[in-house]
Amino acid sequence: MTLPAPLRPLPGPDQPGVAAASARLRSLGVDPMAWSNGPGDRYAEHEHTFAKLLVCAEGSITFLVGSGGDAATIVAGEGFEMPAGIRHAAVVGPTGCTCVEGHRR
């Protein structure tokens, strides 16, 4: 997995599945929340006031990060931390995705 700055890979094993992703995020001190989207769904460009820790549990999703829209595609088991205030958009992969995320202030 190659991530554009300022995304940072999450420590821990890259294991697929909601249970594994939730356990990984709990081990990093955040409360996990799962969500799913269908193939090709899109999130418009936005930013958050918190750091987002995210693991793709099933399928794949591509994040377009920063003003250049640098692409970061993650598949089941892979995850990253995105600092607060980073502009990003996202496009769900061809089989949909289920992700688990947690937030840090």
Side-chain angles (χ1 to χ4, degrees), residues 48-87:
H48 303 285
T49 59
F50 48 82
K52 176 188 284 216
L53 287 73
L54 183 133
V55 177
C56 181
E58 299 170 359
S60 65
I61 186 168
T62 298
F63 285 82
L64 305 168
V65 182
S67 60
D70 295 329
T73 298
I74 60 172
V75 299
E78 296 179 335
F80 62 77
E81 181 171 357
M82 178 186 302
I86 302 302
R87 300 284 302 164

Side-chain angles (χ1 to χ4, degrees), residues 7-8 11 17 33 35 44-45 47 51-52 54 57 59 67-69 72 90 98-99:
L7 302 185
R8 295 183 296 272
M33 172 187 67
W35 51 267
E45 191 173 283
E47 60 189 66
K52 176 188 284 216
L54 183 133
S67 60
T98 296
C99 292

